[in-house]
Amino acid sequence: MSASAGKVLLTPKGDYNASTTYSILDWVRYNGAVYVAKQTTTGNLPTDTTYWSLMLNAPANLADLTDVNIDTTTLADGQTLVYNATTGKFENGESSGGVGKDLTGQTVEPEQGTTVTAKTNAEIFNDYRSRTWQSSDIASGNIASGEYSHAEGTRTTATGDYSHAEGFGSRATGNASHAEGYWNNATGGGAHAEGYHTIASGNESHAEGQGTTASGNFSHAEGKDTKALHAYSHISGYGTSGIYQHEQSLETTRACQFIHADWHYPAYYGNFSDSGDGITFAISPSPISVSSNKTEEAKFGASGRLTGSYTCTLTLQVQAIYILIVNSYDKSSGAEYGAAMYLVVANALTGGTPTLIQLGSSGTPPTVTTKTNGIAIKGNGTSYTGIFNMIRVV
């Protein structure tokens, strides 16, 4: 005795035709998908689940792609197709230049719960996966939404116009900002964050190394766990922070341009303030106690540039001896107009005015006078530029 199992092989029938009679296990292509007949049927669309079963929700081969399941608006020869699970379509996986993926006009989620429309020529590279989240951290996908922005690597985000994010998890949210490395953030305009967990939030700031923060405009933090908190400040080393450690001020009509001050741990803390007539620098022993016997390890130096007849004031709130050298130059010819050297004995810890001893001079140098717990250096006038350098020796 024998028994027939009936039809057991799938039979391809090409594109669906309403006038054709299909038998069980005949399969057809319809709207880019593949359906198999569950029973004999004529004139019943493949989407009718009584007669048909969906076998593949995608084309059987690339030759069968149609405008139903592919975005043809930006395709060109030789480009790569990427399937978008959100739209259910195959899309251009490259930019018009043949590299990267252009997100122009697409709705993207650069921050969890916040969607924006990507601007012109926002491109991503490498990680083309949809943006997903694990708790509050990015789990997959690069996002670029700023005009001409660029995100590469994995889990990177470039939302600022003309911004560039690269590496792992880095964010460039400021316009024209650049974040590179591991989980770095460049949020200020023109800011640059690089290394490991660095933050450059000031405009035109630069943070590099590990755990550094440059929050002042035009500031620079480097090393490990350093913080440059004020405009034009420069902090380096390990674990240092403050208003100023190494200052490069703008060249303006104020006095004391290009101030430079540095010290080493255990260190004194300093302050700069613009008083209108110039910039005042004060150095004090806080938070290191004088009685700790560690203050002698602190070393201090300052240099600056004088403009016009403005006065630069240095307030010395420590007990120390300095060598001060002042120079003035003719702005037109660059010829030296005068120079002088002084010995400055600061008596701040006991109170009183510093002792100022001139060691030598020539020509007409900038004027140096004493004041309570400090000295004042005045420029020679608008036709001259002045420079001073002060070095702590004891």
Side-chain angles (χ1 to χ4, degrees):
M1 183 175 69
S2 63
S4 174
K7 185 178 180 181
V8 295
L9 296 176
L10 294 174
T11 304
K13 293 293 185 178
D15 293 332
Y16 172 76
N17 189 318
S19 62
T20 301
T21 298
Y22 297 101
S23 302
I24 188 171
L25 295 185
D26 286 347
W27 65 270
V28 297
R29 291 186 298 268
Y30 181 74
N31 282 350
V34 177
Y35 297 85
V36 61
K38 298 162 67 175
Q39 57 180 295
T40 300
T41 176
T42 303
N44 298 299
L45 290 176
T47 53
D48 188 336
T49 57
T50 301
Y51 299 93
W52 298 91
S53 179
L54 177 65
M55 186 168 68
L56 291 174
N57 194 24
N61 56 67
L62 291 180
D64 295 325
L65 292 172
T66 68
D67 60 2
V68 175
N69 52 30
I70 185 171
D71 182 356
T72 60
T73 58
T74 59
L75 291 181
D77 289 342
Q79 292 181 333
T80 301
L81 297 179
V82 175
Y83 182 70
N84 187 326
T86 301
T87 63
K89 292 184 178 183
F90 283 89
E91 300 174 349
N92 173 20
E94 301 178 352
S95 68
S96 58
V99 179
K101 181 179 180 181
D102 190 350
L103 299 183
T104 302
Q106 294 191 29
T107 300
V108 295
E109 186 182 9
E111 302 297 334
Q112 191 171 22
T114 301
T115 58
V116 298
T117 300
K119 296 180 182 178
T120 303
N121 291 325
E123 291 185 339
I124 62 172
F125 298 76
N126 307 121
D127 189 351
Y128 301 113
R129 297 173 294 173
S130 298
R131 172 59 58 89
T132 59
W133 302 86
Q134 183 176 0
S135 298
S136 59
D137 289 333
I138 300 170
S140 66
N142 294 331
I143 291 293
S145 62
E147 187 174 31
Y148 292 95
S149 59
H150 177 150
E152 61 179 306
T154 182
R155 311 185 194 186
T156 60
T157 303
T159 58
D161 292 342
Y162 323 111
S163 62
H164 183 183
E166 57 181 312
F168 187 102
S170 292
R171 287 181 170 95
T173 58
N175 291 338
S177 63
H178 184 187
E180 57 180 316
Y182 187 87
W183 291 117
N184 299 304
N185 286 274
T187 61
H192 184 184
E194 59 179 314
Y196 180 91
H197 284 287
T198 62
I199 299 173
S201 56
N203 293 329
E204 285 79 47
S205 62
H206 185 188
E208 59 179 313
Q210 179 178 338
T212 58
T213 299
S215 57
N217 293 337
F218 317 106
S219 63
H220 184 179
E222 60 181 308
K224 185 177 187 299
D225 298 331
T226 60
K227 295 181 180 180
L229 306 178
H230 199 278
Y232 322 122
S233 58
H234 182 177
I235 306 295
S236 61
Y238 175 79
T240 55
S241 65
I243 303 300
Y244 296 87
Q245 179 168 353
H246 175 175
E247 168 69 8
Q248 296 287 338
S249 67
L250 288 177
E251 182 172 1
T252 66
T253 58
R254 299 294 189 189
C256 305
Q257 299 165 16
F258 300 104
I259 289 290
H260 171 230
D262 69 88
W263 55 91
H264 311 282
Y265 180 82
Y268 294 110
Y269 279 57
N271 276 303
F272 284 84
S273 63
D274 189 340
S275 61
D277 186 37
I279 300 177
T280 297
F281 179 78
I283 185 168
S284 63
S286 176
I288 305 298
S289 170
V290 176
S291 61
S292 68
N293 297 320
K294 293 184 178 180
T295 53
E296 290 307 314
E297 296 178 20
K299 300 183 185 300
F300 166 69
S303 62
R305 181 175 175 179
L306 303 165
T307 299
S309 300
Y310 290 105
T311 300
C312 178
T313 302
L314 287 85
T315 302
L316 307 173
Q317 299 173 358
V318 294
Q319 182 106 5
I321 299 176
Y322 303 88
I323 292 293
L324 172 64
I325 301 173
V326 293
N327 302 81
S328 61
Y329 300 89
D330 186 286
K331 280 187 175 181
S332 299
S333 66
E336 186 176 78
Y337 184 63
M341 178 183 291
Y342 296 87
L343 187 68
V344 182
V345 181
N347 302 309
L349 296 185
T350 57
T353 301
T355 300
L356 184 66
I357 303 172
Q358 188 177 87
L359 302 178
S361 68
S362 64
T364 307
T367 302
V368 181
T369 57
T370 60
K371 53 172 290 182
T372 301
N373 288 345
I375 58 172
I377 309 169
K378 185 177 181 179
N380 295 95
T382 56
S383 299
Y384 304 94
T385 182
I387 296 175
F388 70 88
N389 289 278
M390 186 166 172
I391 303 171
R392 179 176 175 177
V393 292
V394 178

